[in-house]
Amino acid sequence: MTGEHSPLQPASPGAAAGPDDLKSPLLPLHEPIQRTQCRVNSIFTLQNFYAVLGPLLSLLISLLVKFDGGKANSGKMLAVIAWVFTWWVTEAVPLAVTSMCPLFLFPLFGIASADSVAHSYMDDVITLVLGSFILALAVERYNVHRRLALNVTMVFCGDPLNPPLLLLGLCAITFFVSMWMHNVATAVMMMPVATGILQRMPPKEEQSAAVNNFCRAVVLVVVYATPIGGTSTLTGTGVNLILVGMWKSLSPGSKPISFNNWFFFGFPVAILILFAFWSILCLLYIRKGSGRALAPYLDRSHLKRDLEALGPMTFAEKMVLSIFGLLIILWMTRRITDDIPGWGALFNGLVGDGSVSVLVAVLLFIIPNKKEEGQKLMDWNECKKLPWKLILLLGAGFALADGVQSSGLADVLSGALNFLESAPFWAIAPLVSLTSSIITEFITSNDATATLLIPLLFHIARTMHVHPLLMMVPGAMATEFAYWLPTSTPSNVVGFATGYIEIQDMLKIGVPLKVAGIAALSVLMPSLGAIVFGTADDSQYN
C-alpha cells in the first residue's frame, strides 16, 4: 500500500456499501437535477372544471335557493344533489368516489348524522348484491359459464347449420346467464364464447357479405341479450336493486318488491323484448343462403371439440352449479304469494333475499373444491374483484332517497309538479319509458341514471295521485334500453372493443329495439303490472 487514496469511483448498483461510499454525495453531481415544470394548461382542464363545478353549484344553491314553509334543509338537500349528480354525470372524479360523498356532505350540511347516512350503505339490498357477486365469481373461476354456453349452442346449432337457430341459442344462454349475474360480468364472460366461434371464420378481408354479417350478428347478440336478460330478475342488474331499495325507503309502509314479484313481471317483459331483438337481428343480418356460406367454418363437430377440451365436469363445477340452483330455489320460495307465505314465514318474516344470498356465498368458503388439499370453492383473494363501485353507488342512491324524504325536499318537488295531474293515464308508461331510455344514452352508468330519475318519478306520481310504481318500474327498466351508442353502458363497450361492430350496427339494431322495449312496457305495465305490483289500488295516493 502506498498510502495514497484513489479517486472515488461510483459504486455499482449491486455492490455492498463500504465506508467510502458513505462519504459520497446522495445525488450524483455530474447529472443535472430534473425540475418538474408545472404547466398552466395542465391545471385548467375540462376535468378540473367539472370537479370545481359540483361544489360551486352546491354553494350557489345553498346561498340563493330558499323554500317557504321553514324547510331550510330542503335547499341544503338540493345543493347536495347538485354536487353529487354533477360529478356523477361528468365523471369529474371516479364514480365510486362520488358515491361516498353523502357520507360527509349530509353531516356537514346538517341533513343527517354520520351514523344514519352510513346505514344506507349496508342494508338487505346491498347484502343481496354482495352474495350474488361472490357466486358469480365462483361461476367464472370454474368456467361453468363456458361449459353451459357450449352445450346450449350445440343444441341450437342445427344439422345442417341453421344460422337463425344458432343466434337464438346464443341469445338464450346470454339471456340466462345475465338473469343471475351483473350485465358487465355477463358481457365479459360471454364475449370470449362469441369471439371463439368467430375465430374459425376467415380474415375480414376474405369474408363474404354473408359471413361478415353473421360475425357482426354474433357480437350483437352478446351486446343486447345481456341487458335484456338483466331486466328479468331482481339481481340481474343494479338498476332493479336500486328501484327495490328506493321503493322500500320512499314508501316504507307499502308492500316491498320481492324476488318473485319482480320475476313475474320482469321475465315476460324481457322475453318479449328478446324475441323482438332476435327477429330484428335475423331480418337485418341473416340473408338467404347464409347457412351454406358458414357451413365450411362452423358446424356441430367444432363445438363438440371445444366441449371435449374442457374435460368431464369436476366436483367443484358440480358444487357451484348445485349452490347456484339452491340460491334460485330459496329466492323463489321464500315468499310465494300473500296466501302461500313460503319458508320465510318460519322465521317470522325476518329473513330477506340478502340473507339468502350471503348464506349461499358463505357455503362457497366452507365446501372443499377437491382440487388441492385444504382449498375451498372460493377464497377471499378472488373477492378482490367484487364491484365495489356498484355497491357504493347503491348506497349513495339509498342515502339520497332518504335525504330527499327527511329534508322535506320531497314535499317541495311534489308541490312544484301539480301541473302533471292533467296528464292522461294511458300516456304515463310510454312517456316515462321514452324519457328514461333517451337520458340513459348520454349517462354511461345506467345505475346513476336510475338513481337520478327514480326518486323524481316517485314524487311526480304522488302529485298525479297514481300509484308510484306505475311510473317507477317503467322508468327504471327503460334505463336498461341504452342501445344506441358504444359509450352508453359498459357492456356496449365490451362488444364495440372486439372490432367486429361499428356505431352504424348499433343504431340499426338499437333504434327499432328501443321502440320494441317501450311498446312492451307500455302494454304490460298497466295490465300485468297492475296484477303483480297492485298498481290498480292507488287509494292511499289520492
Side-chain angles (χ1 to χ4, degrees), residues 243 420 423 425 427-429 431-433 436 453-454 456-478 521 525 535:
L243 171 64
L420 290 171
F425 180 83
I428 292 175
L431 286 175
V432 169
S433 302
S436 184
L453 289 177
I454 289 172
L456 184 60
L457 293 173
F458 174 85
H459 298 298
I460 291 175
R462 293 287 298 269
T463 301
M464 297 176 66
H465 304 298
V466 298
H467 198 291
L469 289 180
L470 192 63
M471 300 185 75
M472 293 170 71
V473 170
M477 292 186 77
L521 283 176
M525 188 61 220
T535 56

PDB file of all heavy atoms in Angstrom, residues 243 420 423 425 427-429 431-433 436 453-454 456-478 521 525 535:
ATOM      1  N   LEU A 243     -84.099   0.329  -7.634  1.00  0.00           N
ATOM      2  CA  LEU A 243     -85.547   0.557  -7.574  1.00  0.00           C
ATOM      3  C   LEU A 243     -86.140  -0.071  -6.312  1.00  0.00           C
ATOM      4  O   LEU A 243     -86.911   0.578  -5.594  1.00  0.00           O
ATOM      5  CB  LEU A 243     -86.222  -0.036  -8.815  1.00  0.00           C
ATOM      6  CG  LEU A 243     -87.759  -0.071  -8.785  1.00  0.00           C
ATOM      7  CD1 LEU A 243     -88.338   1.335  -8.744  1.00  0.00           C
ATOM      8  CD2 LEU A 243     -88.306  -0.832  -9.986  1.00  0.00           C
ATOM      9  N   LEU A 420     -98.840  18.271 -13.596  1.00  0.00           N
ATOM     10  CA  LEU A 420     -98.848  16.952 -14.224  1.00  0.00           C
ATOM     11  C   LEU A 420    -100.123  16.158 -13.941  1.00  0.00           C
ATOM     12  O   LEU A 420    -100.338  15.106 -14.523  1.00  0.00           O
ATOM     13  CB  LEU A 420     -97.637  16.134 -13.740  1.00  0.00           C
ATOM     14  CG  LEU A 420     -96.270  16.608 -14.252  1.00  0.00           C
ATOM     15  CD1 LEU A 420     -95.159  15.857 -13.536  1.00  0.00           C
ATOM     16  CD2 LEU A 420     -96.155  16.390 -15.762  1.00  0.00           C
ATOM     17  N   ALA A 423    -102.201  15.002 -16.933  1.00  0.00           N
ATOM     18  CA  ALA A 423    -101.680  14.065 -17.943  1.00  0.00           C
ATOM     19  C   ALA A 423    -102.597  12.849 -18.047  1.00  0.00           C
ATOM     20  O   ALA A 423    -103.052  12.326 -17.034  1.00  0.00           O
ATOM     21  CB  ALA A 423    -100.269  13.630 -17.581  1.00  0.00           C
ATOM     22  N   PHE A 425    -103.926   9.051 -18.260  1.00  0.00           N
ATOM     23  CA  PHE A 425    -103.420   7.842 -17.607  1.00  0.00           C
ATOM     24  C   PHE A 425    -102.682   6.928 -18.585  1.00  0.00           C
ATOM     25  O   PHE A 425    -101.629   6.385 -18.278  1.00  0.00           O
ATOM     26  CB  PHE A 425    -104.591   7.100 -16.958  1.00  0.00           C
ATOM     27  CG  PHE A 425    -104.185   5.840 -16.250  1.00  0.00           C
ATOM     28  CD1 PHE A 425    -103.689   5.878 -14.967  1.00  0.00           C
ATOM     29  CD2 PHE A 425    -104.298   4.612 -16.889  1.00  0.00           C
ATOM     30  CE1 PHE A 425    -103.309   4.718 -14.320  1.00  0.00           C
ATOM     31  CE2 PHE A 425    -103.929   3.440 -16.245  1.00  0.00           C
ATOM     32  CZ  PHE A 425    -103.432   3.501 -14.957  1.00  0.00           C
ATOM     33  N   ALA A 427    -100.957   7.528 -21.102  1.00  0.00           N
ATOM     34  CA  ALA A 427     -99.681   8.028 -21.627  1.00  0.00           C
ATOM     35  C   ALA A 427     -98.542   7.943 -20.621  1.00  0.00           C
ATOM     36  O   ALA A 427     -97.388   8.223 -20.966  1.00  0.00           O
ATOM     37  CB  ALA A 427     -99.851   9.477 -22.081  1.00  0.00           C
ATOM     38  N   ILE A 428     -98.842   7.548 -19.384  1.00  0.00           N
ATOM     39  CA  ILE A 428     -97.820   7.578 -18.329  1.00  0.00           C
ATOM     40  C   ILE A 428     -96.646   6.665 -18.665  1.00  0.00           C
ATOM     41  O   ILE A 428     -95.488   7.098 -18.728  1.00  0.00           O
ATOM     42  CB  ILE A 428     -98.434   7.192 -16.967  1.00  0.00           C
ATOM     43  CG1 ILE A 428     -99.398   8.273 -16.500  1.00  0.00           C
ATOM     44  CG2 ILE A 428     -97.332   6.980 -15.929  1.00  0.00           C
ATOM     45  CD1 ILE A 428    -100.146   7.915 -15.229  1.00  0.00           C
ATOM     46  N   ALA A 429     -96.912   5.366 -18.884  1.00  0.00           N
ATOM     47  CA  ALA A 429     -95.831   4.405 -19.126  1.00  0.00           C
ATOM     48  C   ALA A 429     -95.030   4.725 -20.384  1.00  0.00           C
ATOM     49  O   ALA A 429     -93.790   4.718 -20.347  1.00  0.00           O
ATOM     50  CB  ALA A 429     -96.395   2.983 -19.181  1.00  0.00           C
ATOM     51  N   LEU A 431     -94.541   7.659 -21.941  1.00  0.00           N
ATOM     52  CA  LEU A 431     -93.761   8.887 -21.778  1.00  0.00           C
ATOM     53  C   LEU A 431     -92.580   8.686 -20.830  1.00  0.00           C
ATOM     54  O   LEU A 431     -91.463   9.141 -21.104  1.00  0.00           O
ATOM     55  CB  LEU A 431     -94.660  10.016 -21.260  1.00  0.00           C
ATOM     56  CG  LEU A 431     -95.637  10.624 -22.286  1.00  0.00           C
ATOM     57  CD1 LEU A 431     -96.550  11.630 -21.619  1.00  0.00           C
ATOM     58  CD2 LEU A 431     -94.868  11.271 -23.437  1.00  0.00           C
ATOM     59  N   VAL A 432     -92.830   8.003 -19.718  1.00  0.00           N
ATOM     60  CA  VAL A 432     -91.760   7.750 -18.747  1.00  0.00           C
ATOM     61  C   VAL A 432     -90.679   6.874 -19.378  1.00  0.00           C
ATOM     62  O   VAL A 432     -89.477   7.137 -19.236  1.00  0.00           O
ATOM     63  CB  VAL A 432     -92.326   7.088 -17.478  1.00  0.00           C
ATOM     64  CG1 VAL A 432     -91.209   6.584 -16.584  1.00  0.00           C
ATOM     65  CG2 VAL A 432     -93.190   8.086 -16.710  1.00  0.00           C
ATOM     66  N   SER A 433     -91.091   5.821 -20.080  1.00  0.00           N
ATOM     67  CA  SER A 433     -90.131   4.906 -20.714  1.00  0.00           C
ATOM     68  C   SER A 433     -89.294   5.623 -21.757  1.00  0.00           C
ATOM     69  O   SER A 433     -88.066   5.443 -21.830  1.00  0.00           O
ATOM     70  CB  SER A 433     -90.865   3.731 -21.355  1.00  0.00           C
ATOM     71  OG  SER A 433     -91.637   3.029 -20.416  1.00  0.00           O
ATOM     72  N   SER A 436     -86.818   8.159 -20.020  1.00  0.00           N
ATOM     73  CA  SER A 436     -85.749   7.448 -19.321  1.00  0.00           C
ATOM     74  C   SER A 436     -84.779   6.792 -20.298  1.00  0.00           C
ATOM     75  O   SER A 436     -83.562   6.831 -20.093  1.00  0.00           O
ATOM     76  CB  SER A 436     -86.370   6.389 -18.404  1.00  0.00           C
ATOM     77  OG  SER A 436     -85.394   5.738 -17.648  1.00  0.00           O
ATOM     78  N   LEU A 453     -83.387   9.413 -11.575  1.00  0.00           N
ATOM     79  CA  LEU A 453     -84.776   9.521 -12.017  1.00  0.00           C
ATOM     80  C   LEU A 453     -85.799   8.934 -11.042  1.00  0.00           C
ATOM     81  O   LEU A 453     -86.904   9.472 -10.912  1.00  0.00           O
ATOM     82  CB  LEU A 453     -84.937   8.820 -13.371  1.00  0.00           C
ATOM     83  CG  LEU A 453     -84.293   9.497 -14.577  1.00  0.00           C
ATOM     84  CD1 LEU A 453     -84.476   8.641 -15.822  1.00  0.00           C
ATOM     85  CD2 LEU A 453     -84.896  10.880 -14.801  1.00  0.00           C
ATOM     86  N   ILE A 454     -85.474   7.822 -10.389  1.00  0.00           N
ATOM     87  CA  ILE A 454     -86.486   7.096  -9.611  1.00  0.00           C
ATOM     88  C   ILE A 454     -87.121   7.941  -8.508  1.00  0.00           C
ATOM     89  O   ILE A 454     -88.358   7.972  -8.379  1.00  0.00           O
ATOM     90  CB  ILE A 454     -85.897   5.781  -9.059  1.00  0.00           C
ATOM     91  CG1 ILE A 454     -85.679   4.789 -10.213  1.00  0.00           C
ATOM     92  CG2 ILE A 454     -86.821   5.148  -8.020  1.00  0.00           C
ATOM     93  CD1 ILE A 454     -84.926   3.537  -9.828  1.00  0.00           C
ATOM     94  N   LEU A 456     -87.451  11.132  -8.377  1.00  0.00           N
ATOM     95  CA  LEU A 456     -88.250  12.163  -9.032  1.00  0.00           C
ATOM     96  C   LEU A 456     -89.567  11.587  -9.540  1.00  0.00           C
ATOM     97  O   LEU A 456     -90.636  12.192  -9.377  1.00  0.00           O
ATOM     98  CB  LEU A 456     -87.447  12.775 -10.186  1.00  0.00           C
ATOM     99  CG  LEU A 456     -88.101  13.950 -10.922  1.00  0.00           C
ATOM    100  CD1 LEU A 456     -88.363  15.107  -9.971  1.00  0.00           C
ATOM    101  CD2 LEU A 456     -87.221  14.414 -12.077  1.00  0.00           C
ATOM    102  N   LEU A 457     -89.518  10.393 -10.132  1.00  0.00           N
ATOM    103  CA  LEU A 457     -90.731   9.751 -10.634  1.00  0.00           C
ATOM    104  C   LEU A 457     -91.694   9.413  -9.500  1.00  0.00           C
ATOM    105  O   LEU A 457     -92.908   9.489  -9.659  1.00  0.00           O
ATOM    106  CB  LEU A 457     -90.370   8.478 -11.416  1.00  0.00           C
ATOM    107  CG  LEU A 457     -89.621   8.688 -12.730  1.00  0.00           C
ATOM    108  CD1 LEU A 457     -89.185   7.359 -13.319  1.00  0.00           C
ATOM    109  CD2 LEU A 457     -90.487   9.452 -13.728  1.00  0.00           C
ATOM    110  N   PHE A 458     -91.145   9.050  -8.346  1.00  0.00           N
ATOM    111  CA  PHE A 458     -91.990   8.757  -7.178  1.00  0.00           C
ATOM    112  C   PHE A 458     -92.820   9.981  -6.800  1.00  0.00           C
ATOM    113  O   PHE A 458     -94.037   9.886  -6.577  1.00  0.00           O
ATOM    114  CB  PHE A 458     -91.108   8.312  -6.006  1.00  0.00           C
ATOM    115  CG  PHE A 458     -91.855   8.122  -4.720  1.00  0.00           C
ATOM    116  CD1 PHE A 458     -92.502   6.928  -4.437  1.00  0.00           C
ATOM    117  CD2 PHE A 458     -91.922   9.148  -3.766  1.00  0.00           C
ATOM    118  CE1 PHE A 458     -93.201   6.748  -3.251  1.00  0.00           C
ATOM    119  CE2 PHE A 458     -92.612   8.977  -2.578  1.00  0.00           C
ATOM    120  CZ  PHE A 458     -93.251   7.776  -2.323  1.00  0.00           C
ATOM    121  N   HIS A 459     -92.168  11.130  -6.755  1.00  0.00           N
ATOM    122  CA  HIS A 459     -92.867  12.343  -6.318  1.00  0.00           C
ATOM    123  C   HIS A 459     -93.793  12.886  -7.406  1.00  0.00           C
ATOM    124  O   HIS A 459     -94.837  13.463  -7.096  1.00  0.00           O
ATOM    125  CB  HIS A 459     -91.852  13.390  -5.882  1.00  0.00           C
ATOM    126  CG  HIS A 459     -91.020  12.936  -4.717  1.00  0.00           C
ATOM    127  ND1 HIS A 459     -91.565  12.630  -3.489  1.00  0.00           N
ATOM    128  CD2 HIS A 459     -89.697  12.679  -4.609  1.00  0.00           C
ATOM    129  CE1 HIS A 459     -90.614  12.228  -2.671  1.00  0.00           C
ATOM    130  NE2 HIS A 459     -89.469  12.257  -3.321  1.00  0.00           N
ATOM    131  N   ILE A 460     -93.447  12.661  -8.670  1.00  0.00           N
ATOM    132  CA  ILE A 460     -94.363  13.041  -9.749  1.00  0.00           C
ATOM    133  C   ILE A 460     -95.640  12.214  -9.654  1.00  0.00           C
ATOM    134  O   ILE A 460     -96.758  12.720  -9.808  1.00  0.00           O
ATOM    135  CB  ILE A 460     -93.694  12.851 -11.120  1.00  0.00           C
ATOM    136  CG1 ILE A 460     -92.569  13.867 -11.310  1.00  0.00           C
ATOM    137  CG2 ILE A 460     -94.716  12.988 -12.250  1.00  0.00           C
ATOM    138  CD1 ILE A 460     -91.767  13.670 -12.585  1.00  0.00           C
ATOM    139  N   ALA A 461     -95.476  10.902  -9.396  1.00  0.00           N
ATOM    140  CA  ALA A 461     -96.650  10.024  -9.279  1.00  0.00           C
ATOM    141  C   ALA A 461     -97.531  10.446  -8.109  1.00  0.00           C
ATOM    142  O   ALA A 461     -98.771  10.419  -8.207  1.00  0.00           O
ATOM    143  CB  ALA A 461     -96.187   8.571  -9.092  1.00  0.00           C
ATOM    144  N   ARG A 462     -96.904  10.838  -6.992  1.00  0.00           N
ATOM    145  CA  ARG A 462     -97.692  11.305  -5.845  1.00  0.00           C
ATOM    146  C   ARG A 462     -98.492  12.547  -6.212  1.00  0.00           C
ATOM    147  O   ARG A 462     -99.650  12.705  -5.789  1.00  0.00           O
ATOM    148  CB  ARG A 462     -96.747  11.622  -4.670  1.00  0.00           C
ATOM    149  CG  ARG A 462     -96.036  10.410  -4.082  1.00  0.00           C
ATOM    150  CD  ARG A 462     -96.971   9.544  -3.269  1.00  0.00           C
ATOM    151  NE  ARG A 462     -97.515  10.268  -2.139  1.00  0.00           N
ATOM    152  CZ  ARG A 462     -96.938  10.289  -0.930  1.00  0.00           C
ATOM    153  NH1 ARG A 462     -95.821   9.625  -0.712  1.00  0.00           N
ATOM    154  NH2 ARG A 462     -97.490  10.956   0.064  1.00  0.00           N
ATOM    155  N   THR A 463     -97.891  13.416  -6.994  1.00  0.00           N
ATOM    156  CA  THR A 463     -98.580  14.630  -7.434  1.00  0.00           C
ATOM    157  C   THR A 463     -99.757  14.301  -8.341  1.00  0.00           C
ATOM    158  O   THR A 463    -100.812  14.943  -8.276  1.00  0.00           O
ATOM    159  CB  THR A 463     -97.587  15.544  -8.189  1.00  0.00           C
ATOM    160  OG1 THR A 463     -96.508  15.869  -7.321  1.00  0.00           O
ATOM    161  CG2 THR A 463     -98.267  16.821  -8.645  1.00  0.00           C
ATOM    162  N   MET A 464     -99.594  13.283  -9.174  1.00  0.00           N
ATOM    163  CA  MET A 464    -100.651  12.889 -10.111  1.00  0.00           C
ATOM    164  C   MET A 464    -101.703  11.999  -9.458  1.00  0.00           C
ATOM    165  O   MET A 464    -102.689  11.635 -10.098  1.00  0.00           O
ATOM    166  CB  MET A 464    -100.036  12.151 -11.305  1.00  0.00           C
ATOM    167  CG  MET A 464     -99.095  13.002 -12.138  1.00  0.00           C
ATOM    168  SD  MET A 464     -98.307  12.053 -13.470  1.00  0.00           S
ATOM    169  CE  MET A 464     -99.722  11.673 -14.485  1.00  0.00           C
ATOM    170  N   HIS A 465    -101.466  11.620  -8.189  1.00  0.00           N
ATOM    171  CA  HIS A 465    -102.380  10.745  -7.451  1.00  0.00           C
ATOM    172  C   HIS A 465    -102.533   9.382  -8.122  1.00  0.00           C
ATOM    173  O   HIS A 465    -103.631   8.830  -8.224  1.00  0.00           O
ATOM    174  CB  HIS A 465    -103.764  11.400  -7.284  1.00  0.00           C
ATOM    175  CG  HIS A 465    -103.705  12.732  -6.614  1.00  0.00           C
ATOM    176  ND1 HIS A 465    -103.238  12.903  -5.328  1.00  0.00           N
ATOM    177  CD2 HIS A 465    -104.036  13.980  -7.060  1.00  0.00           C
ATOM    178  CE1 HIS A 465    -103.294  14.176  -4.993  1.00  0.00           C
ATOM    179  NE2 HIS A 465    -103.762  14.862  -6.032  1.00  0.00           N
ATOM    180  N   VAL A 466    -101.404   8.841  -8.622  1.00  0.00           N
ATOM    181  CA  VAL A 466    -101.393   7.478  -9.155  1.00  0.00           C
ATOM    182  C   VAL A 466    -100.378   6.669  -8.352  1.00  0.00           C
ATOM    183  O   VAL A 466     -99.525   7.222  -7.647  1.00  0.00           O
ATOM    184  CB  VAL A 466    -101.026   7.444 -10.658  1.00  0.00           C
ATOM    185  CG1 VAL A 466    -102.043   8.199 -11.476  1.00  0.00           C
ATOM    186  CG2 VAL A 466     -99.616   7.992 -10.897  1.00  0.00           C
ATOM    187  N   HIS A 467    -100.474   5.368  -8.449  1.00  0.00           N
ATOM    188  CA  HIS A 467     -99.540   4.506  -7.730  1.00  0.00           C
ATOM    189  C   HIS A 467     -98.120   4.773  -8.237  1.00  0.00           C
ATOM    190  O   HIS A 467     -97.868   4.723  -9.442  1.00  0.00           O
ATOM    191  CB  HIS A 467     -99.910   3.043  -7.944  1.00  0.00           C
ATOM    192  CG  HIS A 467     -99.294   2.115  -6.943  1.00  0.00           C
ATOM    193  ND1 HIS A 467     -97.945   1.856  -6.892  1.00  0.00           N
ATOM    194  CD2 HIS A 467     -99.853   1.375  -5.920  1.00  0.00           C
ATOM    195  CE1 HIS A 467     -97.682   1.009  -5.913  1.00  0.00           C
ATOM    196  NE2 HIS A 467     -98.833   0.709  -5.300  1.00  0.00           N
ATOM    197  N   PRO A 468     -97.157   5.058  -7.340  1.00  0.00           N
ATOM    198  CA  PRO A 468     -95.804   5.416  -7.788  1.00  0.00           C
ATOM    199  C   PRO A 468     -95.132   4.360  -8.659  1.00  0.00           C
ATOM    200  O   PRO A 468     -94.378   4.704  -9.567  1.00  0.00           O
ATOM    201  CB  PRO A 468     -95.040   5.617  -6.475  1.00  0.00           C
ATOM    202  CG  PRO A 468     -96.088   6.003  -5.489  1.00  0.00           C
ATOM    203  CD  PRO A 468     -97.308   5.230  -5.880  1.00  0.00           C
ATOM    204  N   LEU A 469     -95.398   3.074  -8.396  1.00  0.00           N
ATOM    205  CA  LEU A 469     -94.738   2.028  -9.186  1.00  0.00           C
ATOM    206  C   LEU A 469     -95.170   2.053 -10.648  1.00  0.00           C
ATOM    207  O   LEU A 469     -94.458   1.544 -11.517  1.00  0.00           O
ATOM    208  CB  LEU A 469     -95.017   0.647  -8.583  1.00  0.00           C
ATOM    209  CG  LEU A 469     -94.324   0.348  -7.256  1.00  0.00           C
ATOM    210  CD1 LEU A 469     -94.677  -1.045  -6.772  1.00  0.00           C
ATOM    211  CD2 LEU A 469     -92.805   0.488  -7.383  1.00  0.00           C
ATOM    212  N   LEU A 470     -96.306   2.671 -10.931  1.00  0.00           N
ATOM    213  CA  LEU A 470     -96.766   2.792 -12.309  1.00  0.00           C
ATOM    214  C   LEU A 470     -95.782   3.621 -13.134  1.00  0.00           C
ATOM    215  O   LEU A 470     -95.674   3.447 -14.355  1.00  0.00           O
ATOM    216  CB  LEU A 470     -98.157   3.426 -12.341  1.00  0.00           C
ATOM    217  CG  LEU A 470     -98.930   3.371 -13.662  1.00  0.00           C
ATOM    218  CD1 LEU A 470     -99.222   1.930 -14.049  1.00  0.00           C
ATOM    219  CD2 LEU A 470    -100.225   4.162 -13.553  1.00  0.00           C
ATOM    220  N   MET A 471     -95.053   4.506 -12.473  1.00  0.00           N
ATOM    221  CA  MET A 471     -94.045   5.309 -13.156  1.00  0.00           C
ATOM    222  C   MET A 471     -92.632   4.824 -12.850  1.00  0.00           C
ATOM    223  O   MET A 471     -91.756   4.851 -13.720  1.00  0.00           O
ATOM    224  CB  MET A 471     -94.176   6.784 -12.741  1.00  0.00           C
ATOM    225  CG  MET A 471     -95.518   7.395 -13.057  1.00  0.00           C
ATOM    226  SD  MET A 471     -95.600   9.159 -12.692  1.00  0.00           S
ATOM    227  CE  MET A 471     -94.670   9.833 -14.046  1.00  0.00           C
ATOM    228  N   MET A 472     -92.406   4.368 -11.617  1.00  0.00           N
ATOM    229  CA  MET A 472     -91.055   3.991 -11.207  1.00  0.00           C
ATOM    230  C   MET A 472     -90.560   2.742 -11.933  1.00  0.00           C
ATOM    231  O   MET A 472     -89.386   2.669 -12.327  1.00  0.00           O
ATOM    232  CB  MET A 472     -91.016   3.771  -9.696  1.00  0.00           C
ATOM    233  CG  MET A 472     -91.240   5.040  -8.886  1.00  0.00           C
ATOM    234  SD  MET A 472     -91.484   4.705  -7.122  1.00  0.00           S
ATOM    235  CE  MET A 472     -89.830   4.212  -6.637  1.00  0.00           C
ATOM    236  N   VAL A 473     -91.420   1.737 -12.112  1.00  0.00           N
ATOM    237  CA  VAL A 473     -90.991   0.483 -12.745  1.00  0.00           C
ATOM    238  C   VAL A 473     -90.609   0.699 -14.214  1.00  0.00           C
ATOM    239  O   VAL A 473     -89.498   0.324 -14.626  1.00  0.00           O
ATOM    240  CB  VAL A 473     -92.064  -0.613 -12.582  1.00  0.00           C
ATOM    241  CG1 VAL A 473     -91.723  -1.833 -13.437  1.00  0.00           C
ATOM    242  CG2 VAL A 473     -92.207  -1.015 -11.123  1.00  0.00           C
ATOM    243  N   PRO A 474     -91.486   1.294 -15.055  1.00  0.00           N
ATOM    244  CA  PRO A 474     -91.048   1.520 -16.446  1.00  0.00           C
ATOM    245  C   PRO A 474     -89.882   2.493 -16.547  1.00  0.00           C
ATOM    246  O   PRO A 474     -89.015   2.337 -17.412  1.00  0.00           O
ATOM    247  CB  PRO A 474     -92.297   2.081 -17.133  1.00  0.00           C
ATOM    248  CG  PRO A 474     -93.198   2.546 -16.046  1.00  0.00           C
ATOM    249  CD  PRO A 474     -92.898   1.685 -14.854  1.00  0.00           C
ATOM    250  N   GLY A 475     -89.839   3.477 -15.645  1.00  0.00           N
ATOM    251  CA  GLY A 475     -88.722   4.421 -15.661  1.00  0.00           C
ATOM    252  C   GLY A 475     -87.401   3.735 -15.372  1.00  0.00           C
ATOM    253  O   GLY A 475     -86.378   4.026 -16.000  1.00  0.00           O
ATOM    254  N   ALA A 476     -87.413   2.801 -14.403  1.00  0.00           N
ATOM    255  CA  ALA A 476     -86.188   2.078 -14.054  1.00  0.00           C
ATOM    256  C   ALA A 476     -85.793   1.094 -15.153  1.00  0.00           C
ATOM    257  O   ALA A 476     -84.636   1.045 -15.579  1.00  0.00           O
ATOM    258  CB  ALA A 476     -86.391   1.342 -12.733  1.00  0.00           C
ATOM    259  N   MET A 477     -86.772   0.317 -15.635  1.00  0.00           N
ATOM    260  CA  MET A 477     -86.448  -0.689 -16.654  1.00  0.00           C
ATOM    261  C   MET A 477     -85.965  -0.043 -17.948  1.00  0.00           C
ATOM    262  O   MET A 477     -85.096  -0.592 -18.638  1.00  0.00           O
ATOM    263  CB  MET A 477     -87.665  -1.574 -16.923  1.00  0.00           C
ATOM    264  CG  MET A 477     -88.046  -2.467 -15.766  1.00  0.00           C
ATOM    265  SD  MET A 477     -89.374  -3.629 -16.156  1.00  0.00           S
ATOM    266  CE  MET A 477     -88.487  -4.868 -17.100  1.00  0.00           C
ATOM    267  N   ALA A 478     -86.489   1.109 -18.279  1.00  0.00           N
ATOM    268  CA  ALA A 478     -86.101   1.773 -19.530  1.00  0.00           C
ATOM    269  C   ALA A 478     -84.674   2.317 -19.484  1.00  0.00           C
ATOM    270  O   ALA A 478     -84.088   2.590 -20.537  1.00  0.00           O
ATOM    271  CB  ALA A 478     -87.076   2.905 -19.850  1.00  0.00           C
ATOM    272  N   LEU A 521     -93.239  -2.287 -22.431  1.00  0.00           N
ATOM    273  CA  LEU A 521     -93.537  -1.690 -21.121  1.00  0.00           C
ATOM    274  C   LEU A 521     -94.881  -0.974 -21.127  1.00  0.00           C
ATOM    275  O   LEU A 521     -95.631  -1.034 -20.146  1.00  0.00           O
ATOM    276  CB  LEU A 521     -92.431  -0.706 -20.734  1.00  0.00           C
ATOM    277  CG  LEU A 521     -91.112  -1.309 -20.231  1.00  0.00           C
ATOM    278  CD1 LEU A 521     -90.093  -0.208 -19.990  1.00  0.00           C
ATOM    279  CD2 LEU A 521     -91.327  -2.110 -18.957  1.00  0.00           C
ATOM    280  N   MET A 525     -97.134  -2.847 -18.377  1.00  0.00           N
ATOM    281  CA  MET A 525     -97.153  -2.186 -17.069  1.00  0.00           C
ATOM    282  C   MET A 525     -98.576  -1.910 -16.583  1.00  0.00           C
ATOM    283  O   MET A 525     -98.914  -2.209 -15.435  1.00  0.00           O
ATOM    284  CB  MET A 525     -96.332  -0.883 -17.125  1.00  0.00           C
ATOM    285  CG  MET A 525     -96.139  -0.236 -15.751  1.00  0.00           C
ATOM    286  SD  MET A 525     -95.244  -1.312 -14.608  1.00  0.00           S
ATOM    287  CE  MET A 525     -96.127  -1.020 -13.092  1.00  0.00           C
ATOM    288  N   THR A 535    -100.806  -1.995  -8.703  1.00  0.00           N
ATOM    289  CA  THR A 535    -100.859  -0.558  -9.007  1.00  0.00           C
ATOM    290  C   THR A 535    -102.291  -0.061  -9.245  1.00  0.00           C
ATOM    291  O   THR A 535    -102.519   1.151  -9.281  1.00  0.00           O
ATOM    292  CB  THR A 535    -100.016  -0.242 -10.255  1.00  0.00           C
ATOM    293  OG1 THR A 535    -100.465  -1.055 -11.350  1.00  0.00           O
ATOM    294  CG2 THR A 535     -98.552  -0.516  -9.998  1.00  0.00           C
TER     295      THR A 535
END
